[in-house]
Amino acid sequence: MDNGDKSWMNLLRWTDEYIRGVNDFLDKAFERAAQGNEILCPCKKCMNRYWYYRNVVEDHLVVHGFVDGYTKWVFHGEGFSSRNTHHPSNDDESSTMRDDIDGLLHDTFRNIEGQAGDEEGVGERLSEDAKKFFKLLEEGKQELYPGLSNVAFSDLLELIKEAFPFAQSAGPLTKASSKIPAKVLRYFPLKPRLQRIFMCPETAAAMRWHANERPNDGNIRHPADGEAWKAFDSLHLDFSRDARNVRLGLSSDGFNPFRTMSISHSTWPVMLMNYNLSPWICMKSEYIMLSMIIPGPSSPGNDIDVYLRPLIEELKELWETGIDTFDAETNQTFRMRAALMWTVSDFPALAMLSGWSTKGRLACPTCNYDTCSQYLKNSHKMCYLGHRRFLPRDHPFLRDKKSFDGKEEHRPAPAPLSSEEVFEELLEFNNIFGKRAKKRPRSDKGPWRKRSIF
């Protein structure tokens, strides 16, 4: 890769010249520095720390731009010898060994932080052992004579341990040192996915449907026609002023990925729905965003808050400060914000998300402390009565004794807990997650089992 004119890197990122420069850079980078169809992403967010496919790197460079000062593309083949384009035959063991070594080194160091930034600062941050390792690695690519490498692989492994002690935690090098993690959370960041929606003019226009194209005739066709949406707009005028700000809903439930009831297993996906879109689009599978996959084999229970933390942190940032996003329809950059409007779940999942136990005498979160319940001794189950209280005061069922419990119903409907009451009740609540939670004495907060992360 040569040191050509790179003035295009300072141009506006939506110009044709900048996009041509990005594609030329990607052509050369993938020719010289790709590992398994991936390269280090040099955008301002990734800073040469994370490996992605070409389409992802291209999106990042158009949205974020190159990291400041990265004018010599040392992480992408510039200044180094070209990659060996020889494709080994089946009996070429030395070439196969080299490919395996390169793959292992790639997997080991693909996400190590601290090597990002401009090329002049990289050498200063590396230790002497690390410099020696990279020098030996380059020398090892040269052949003393055909078929014989300059350095033994065992020497490289020893230097890896000395130069990068944290590399052993990034991936096991031997079977003896391998450890199986207790849980592995698969999380898919939200911000770049929302930004990508606005990179297409058609979908960018569709994100304004709820404000510009929704019929306003009093009928309820979309959540924007409901009272909750309207109340939110009245409370947050600055947010609702820009129709491009994203309204999200969250849903989660467990399923058995093995398609058999004989295996007790429960994996929990967490999905996000985009309610800016029209009702005939927002529930299509291609527009529902998979946020994370919480592994089994059992339900996360109250511990679901631990897994939700990275998503909640992103949602907080999107609500409080937002993120600069390019709108392909208007060819302008705007500050995109997002709000989580509500959660959608079945009754057991409601308990996990809200912290209110949906079992026992006070199982109903709507009736809360005024839940009308009765324990059935013979069936050893709890039943819930008193629903006539929600009927209009002149409804004939209120005076119907025979069809119900032999009593007339004159009690008013229970009042739902306000957000202020919930906040006060849980202000001093001490959450305990993990195995210790099972040994915790029963809480004096009634049905509350935790202070929800929401």
Side-chain angles (χ1 to χ4, degrees):
M1 194 177 293
D2 57 354
N3 265 320
D5 179 22
K6 298 174 182 173
S7 59
W8 59 268
M9 295 175 64
N10 299 318
L11 297 176
L12 296 175
R13 296 195 296 276
W14 54 84
T15 60
D16 293 338
E17 187 174 354
Y18 177 84
I19 295 176
R20 282 196 300 269
V22 167
N23 282 291
D24 183 59
F25 162 79
L26 293 174
D27 290 340
K28 295 176 180 178
F30 275 90
E31 178 185 352
R32 298 293 184 93
Q35 289 279 5
N37 296 325
E38 293 178 311
I39 63 171
L40 287 167
C41 180
C43 77
K44 290 183 178 179
K45 299 292 185 181
C46 298
M47 299 173 62
N48 289 313
R49 293 176 295 178
Y50 307 115
W51 297 76
Y52 292 114
Y53 292 106
R54 176 174 180 136
N55 61 327
V56 178
V57 178
E58 182 179 0
D59 288 348
H60 284 199
L61 293 177
V62 173
V63 174
H64 307 304
F66 283 84
V67 62
D68 295 336
Y70 190 56
T71 56
K72 293 182 180 180
W73 301 323
V74 294
F75 290 102
H76 299 89
E78 186 172 274
F80 294 95
S81 59
S82 61
R83 296 174 59 86
N84 184 7
T85 58
H86 168 66
H87 295 281
S89 61
N90 292 336
D91 56 352
D92 191 348
E93 294 183 1
S94 62
S95 297
T96 303
M97 176 64 73
R98 173 166 296 181
D99 289 342
D100 291 340
I101 293 173
D102 288 341
L104 176 60
L105 293 175
H106 164 66
D107 291 338
T108 302
F109 296 108
R110 61 184 297 153
N111 285 329
I112 290 178
E113 300 189 16
Q115 298 183 28
D118 62 274
E119 65 286 347
E120 296 179 358
V122 173
E124 298 176 359
R125 289 191 293 271
L126 294 177
S127 66
E128 291 301 321
D129 287 331
K131 295 177 183 177
K132 184 179 179 181
F133 164 75
F134 282 116
K135 181 180 179 181
L136 185 60
L137 182 62
E138 287 300 317
E139 293 176 351
K141 295 179 180 178
Q142 309 299 323
E143 292 184 343
L144 291 177
Y145 50 85
L148 181 62
S149 178
N150 194 9
V151 64
F153 183 49
S154 58
D155 295 337
L156 285 176
L157 291 181
E158 189 62 34
L159 275 173
I160 288 174
K161 297 177 183 178
E162 295 176 6
F164 303 100
F166 48 82
Q168 298 185 46
S169 63
L173 297 178
T174 64
K175 291 184 178 179
S177 63
S178 65
K179 295 181 179 180
I180 300 176
K183 292 283 186 178
V184 177
L185 174 67
R186 291 166 176 84
Y187 179 68
F188 310 101
L190 175 61
K191 290 181 290 186
R193 300 171 77 180
L194 294 179
Q195 287 177 310
R196 195 173 296 118
I197 294 175
F198 290 94
M199 294 185 69
C200 173
E202 288 77 12
T203 55
M207 290 294 286
R208 300 174 174 86
W209 181 91
H210 68 96
N212 299 341
E213 302 180 44
R214 175 176 56 89
N216 192 12
D217 56 4
N219 295 320
I220 296 181
R221 301 181 178 88
H222 185 271
D225 298 314
E227 293 299 323
W229 189 295
K230 296 174 182 177
F232 179 87
D233 283 352
S234 64
L235 291 174
H236 306 286
L237 297 176
D238 183 60
F239 182 93
S240 60
R241 193 171 292 119
D242 192 337
R244 294 172 294 189
N245 286 332
V246 186
R247 321 288 184 110
L248 298 171
L250 180 144
S251 181
S252 183
D253 199 1
F255 77 104
N256 189 334
F258 303 110
R259 297 184 178 181
T260 173
M261 298 302 294
S262 62
I263 298 177
S264 178
H265 191 100
S266 182
T267 293
W268 285 66
V270 176
M271 321 292 290
L272 291 172
M273 280 69 69
N274 183 350
Y275 289 112
N276 284 43
L277 303 171
S278 61
W280 52 86
I281 294 179
C282 66
M283 288 299 154
K284 294 287 187 180
S285 59
E286 55 266 31
Y287 289 98
I288 296 178
M289 295 174 284
L290 177 62
S291 176
M292 68 181 69
I293 301 175
I294 303 174
S298 58
S299 167
N302 280 346
D303 294 346
I304 195 172
D305 285 9
V306 178
Y307 300 100
L308 289 172
R309 183 166 298 279
L311 174 61
I312 296 300
E313 289 177 354
E314 277 200 282
L315 288 171
K316 282 185 177 179
E317 181 182 348
L318 287 170
W319 169 253
E320 294 171 357
T321 61
I323 185 172
D324 289 335
T325 302
F326 176 71
D327 185 347
E329 186 191 27
T330 61
N331 285 329
Q332 294 177 345
T333 299
F334 74 104
R335 176 68 69 163
M336 178 188 66
R337 296 173 60 196
L340 182 65
M341 302 290 288
W342 44 68
T343 63
V344 181
S345 62
D346 59 13
F347 215 45
L350 173 64
M352 295 168 52
L353 295 172
S354 68
W356 181 281
S357 175
T358 55
K359 298 178 181 179
R361 293 190 175 276
L362 304 180
C364 179
T366 301
C367 299
N368 52 80
Y369 296 106
D370 201 14
T371 299
C372 184
S373 59
Q374 183 175 346
Y375 182 73
L376 303 179
K377 295 182 180 180
N378 293 331
S379 62
H380 304 288
K381 293 183 180 297
M382 194 72 68
C383 69
Y384 303 93
L385 309 171
H387 300 93
R388 288 183 291 168
R389 291 182 292 172
F390 291 93
L391 295 173
R393 290 295 90 193
D394 58 350
H395 199 284
F397 280 0
L398 296 177
R399 297 180 297 277
D400 188 346
K401 299 179 182 180
K402 185 177 180 180
S403 300
F404 296 95
D405 58 358
K407 300 178 183 178
E408 292 187 4
E409 182 61 81
H410 299 290
R411 294 175 297 173
L417 289 174
S418 66
S419 56
E420 292 79 8
E421 290 174 319
V422 173
F423 179 80
E424 289 294 331
E425 288 190 13
L426 298 178
L427 187 60
E428 303 295 333
F429 198 95
N430 181 28
N431 285 351
I432 300 178
F433 297 117
K435 295 181 179 178
R436 293 185 303 156
K438 297 180 180 179
K439 301 179 181 179
R440 184 183 63 185
R442 192 172 184 85
S443 171
D444 59 353
K445 296 295 183 181
W448 293 112
R449 294 295 176 262
K450 68 177 180 181
R451 183 177 64 252
S452 173
I453 195 171
F454 290 105

